[in-house]
Amino acid sequence: MKQVDYIIVGQGLAGSCLIQTLLHEKQTVKVIASATKKPSSEIAAGLYNPVTGKKMLLTWNAKILFPLLEEFYKKVEKEFQTRIIYPKKIYRPFADIQSQNDFWIKPSDEIKAFAEPEQDSKQYEPYINNPFGGLSTKQSGYVDVKAFLDVIKQQLLATDSYTAETFDYNALTFDNNKVQYKDTEAKRIIFAEGYHNTNNPFFNWVPVKGMKGDVLTLKIEDYPINDVVNKHFFIIPLPNGTYRMGSSYINNFEDDLPTEAGLKEITAGAHTILKKPFVVLEQKAGIRPTIADHRPIIGEHPEQPLVLIFNGLGTKGVSIAPYAAIELTKFLVLGQEIKESISVNRFYYLYSNQKSSQ
Ligand SMILES: Cc1cc2nc3c(=O)[nH]c(=O)nc-3n(C[C@H](O)[C@H](O)[C@H](O)COP(=O)(O)OP(=O)(O)OC[C@H]3O[C@@H](n4cnc5c(N)ncnc54)[C@H](O)[C@@H]3O)c2cc1C
């Protein structure tokens, strides 16, 4: 029987960030990741943007999340000698005169650390529609999520710590305060299954909802802009000269395949933002694991503390996952309490409801 500290199920952004923070703490892991359940992380455009939404507000916990995520991915880059993170300014054209006035007149001190009115909006004018000017972000950019997942997987394969299989919940047993799964024994098991958590018998009461999305790769003619542009849709310049553009938000879906509606919506967006012709080279789709309060979910099962969850990354996995992984690692390794706002405890009442209705 192989002995490890933790079994981790899933190797998307949640699983990968947790694996890396545990390894940094000299813990041992065994990872089980399905070869058929497509990770949302493989589709993610990788953007991290501290100023989001139509109202251009600061995202949750930005002061902590954004410095921490850059430190985290840069450390991974150094460890694996692979480019992972691309810090970049995001130029956000104002939608109308109202939002322009709001931002110029009363930017709060908090937001000033992350964004400022763009002084030279004219440079973008030949390429994009920006009649009201715009703002530019700091501490923003994108992560090459695929490159990140690849280096983590290669590291696990090299130490025989990775199995590509769909987890068989019936094969999980508990003995002597340990968990056993097939030929592996561990102190605890952590499920980081993204949207597929809905099929997990331990955590199917956790209110993770799927939000499908499409993302496109574009070729844009005569478009030398090297910043990310974000006007409802984002356009990210990639190192190979193409552009990633997204994304759509679809609540009702039957599969995780690219949609015609998503293609139409994003290309219509491209026509409103871009002044230059473009062609679509590729379309991909995935399912984000969202949660109504937009906070991650980490912690123990209410009755079986050897079984834990890491989920709820929603639309912002790149920026939330390193923080949540570090908080979960502090809990596992140091016994430090998990903050209520990100703990699975906040949904224990749903488990009680489920039990009492059975
Ligand atoms: C179109 C689109 C664009 C996006 N763009 C961005 C963006 O720009 N920036 C950003 O921050 N976020 C973005 N996201 C969101 C981001 O993808 C998610 O927040 C994040 O990927 C969720 O990571 P996760 O690890 O929780 O889940 P996933 O990435 O889905 O990973 C789940 C893992 O669990 C495995 N698994 C599931 N069930 C089992 C099982 N029973 N047995 C074994 N393995 C199992 C899967 O194979 C996978 O490895 C985007 C999402 C989409 C769809």
Side-chain angles (χ1 to χ4, degrees), residues 5-56:
D5 291 314
Y6 301 101
I7 297 172
I8 298 172
V9 181
Q11 200 235 320
L13 275 163
S16 299
C17 288
L18 181 63
I19 291 160
Q20 210 49 19
T21 53
L22 285 170
L23 293 178
H24 287 157
E25 293 301 321
K26 310 263 178 285
Q27 305 296 298
T28 51
V29 299
K30 165 84 188 191
V31 175
I32 315 281
S34 169
T36 53
K37 292 177 187 282
K38 184 166 77 182
S40 168
S41 306
E42 273 186 10
I43 308 304
L47 201 62
Y48 60 99
N49 178 4
V51 184
T52 55
K54 205 173 162 202
K55 294 195 170 156
M56 301 198 181

Side-chain angles (χ1 to χ4, degrees), residues 297-316:
I297 301 168
I298 56 175
E300 294 170 344
H301 184 274
E303 290 193 74
Q304 180 46 275
L306 303 185
V307 180
L308 293 93
I309 187 169
F310 181 0
N311 212 307
L313 295 182
T315 58
K316 298 189 171 70

Side-chain angles (χ1 to χ4, degrees), residues 6 18 22 188 190 308 327-335:
Y6 301 101
L18 181 63
L22 285 170
R188 288 172 150 199
I190 300 111
L308 293 93
E327 293 298 301
L328 183 51
T329 298
K330 284 182 193 163
F331 172 75
L332 291 168
V333 179
L334 306 173

Side-chain angles (χ1 to χ4, degrees), residues 1 6 86 100 118 152 176 188 219 222 290 304 327:
M1 184 79 67
Y6 301 101
Y86 294 77
Q100 183 203 51
E118 173 58 53
I152 302 295
N176 272 338
R188 288 172 150 199
K219 189 171 186 312
D222 181 26
T290 66
Q304 180 46 275
E327 293 298 301

Side-chain angles (χ1 to χ4, degrees), residues 231-280:
K231 191 177 179 187
H232 184 60
F233 296 96
F234 55 77
I235 302 173
I236 305 175
L238 300 176
N240 67 1
T242 64
Y243 296 83
R244 185 159 300 139
M245 176 157 190
S247 48
S248 60
Y249 295 86
I250 304 159
N251 280 313
N252 298 312
F253 53 86
E254 281 168 10
D255 55 41
D256 60 8
L257 301 174
T259 66
E260 192 58 38
L263 177 65
K264 274 193 187 149
E265 190 188 337
I266 302 170
T267 49
H271 283 295
T272 64
I273 300 171
L274 290 168
K275 290 182 175 170
K276 297 288 177 181
F278 64 89
V279 285
V280 177

Side-chain angles (χ1 to χ4, degrees), residues 25-242:
E25 293 301 321
K26 310 263 178 285
Q27 305 296 298
T28 51
V29 299
K30 165 84 188 191
V31 175
I32 315 281
S34 169
T36 53
K37 292 177 187 282
K38 184 166 77 182
S40 168
S41 306
E42 273 186 10
I43 308 304
L47 201 62
Y48 60 99
N49 178 4
V51 184
T52 55
K54 205 173 162 202
K55 294 195 170 156
M56 301 198 181
L57 301 172
L58 212 52
T59 68
W60 169 72
N61 220 5
K63 258 170 53 192
I64 292 179
L65 260 54
F66 285 77
L68 188 148
L69 81 89
E70 288 204 346
E71 191 187 323
F72 177 86
Y73 294 113
K74 279 182 182 161
K75 187 170 176 181
V76 176
E77 272 188 350
K78 227 172 161 184
E79 282 168 338
F80 295 97
Q81 294 294 303
T82 302
R83 186 81 197 263
I84 306 265
I85 183 163
Y86 294 77
K88 271 187 188 294
K89 163 169 132 180
I90 303 178
Y91 177 62
R92 302 205 50 178
F94 294 122
D96 47 36
I97 201 80
Q98 173 76 42
S99 45
Q100 183 203 51
N101 284 343
D102 286 354
F103 198 83
W104 276 95
I105 294 165
K106 46 177 181 355
S108 67
D109 283 345
E110 249 200 334
I111 215 160
K112 275 192 221 156
F114 292 96
E116 57 195 4
E118 173 58 53
Q119 303 296 333
D120 184 15
S121 270
K122 280 215 170 317
Q123 64 177 301
Y124 301 98
E125 268 180 26
Y127 313 104
I128 62 170
N129 286 306
N130 60 342
F132 307 105
L135 64 80
S136 286
T137 62
K138 308 174 214 173
Q139 301 190 50
S140 53
Y142 76 95
V143 164
D144 184 341
V145 180
K146 193 168 175 328
F148 171 54
L149 301 187
D150 280 352
V151 293
I152 302 295
K153 182 172 172 179
Q154 290 313 318
Q155 154 186 251
L156 296 167
L157 287 171
T159 52
D160 195 22
S161 308
Y162 183 96
T163 303
E165 71 172 42
T166 297
F167 191 81
D168 176 4
Y169 303 104
N170 294 319
L172 182 66
T173 57
F174 304 92
D175 192 27
N176 272 338
N177 219 19
K178 295 238 171 184
V179 298
Q180 281 178 11
Y181 181 70
K182 299 189 176 172
D183 61 350
T184 304
E185 191 176 68
K187 286 196 252 180
R188 288 172 150 199
I189 182 165
I190 300 111
F191 288 102
E193 297 169 291
Y195 163 68
H196 302 285
N197 179 73
T198 36
N199 303 316
N200 183 311
F202 295 97
F203 289 111
N204 55 12
W205 46 273
V206 173
V208 172
K209 283 216 164 61
M211 167 90 75
K212 185 169 169 174
D214 300 86
V215 68
L216 308 181
T217 307
L218 304 184
K219 189 171 186 312
I220 311 175
E221 219 173 273
D222 181 26
Y223 182 82
I225 303 293
N226 196 30
D227 305 318
V228 177
V229 171
N230 184 189
K231 191 177 179 187
H232 184 60
F233 296 96
F234 55 77
I235 302 173
I236 305 175
L238 300 176
N240 67 1
T242 64

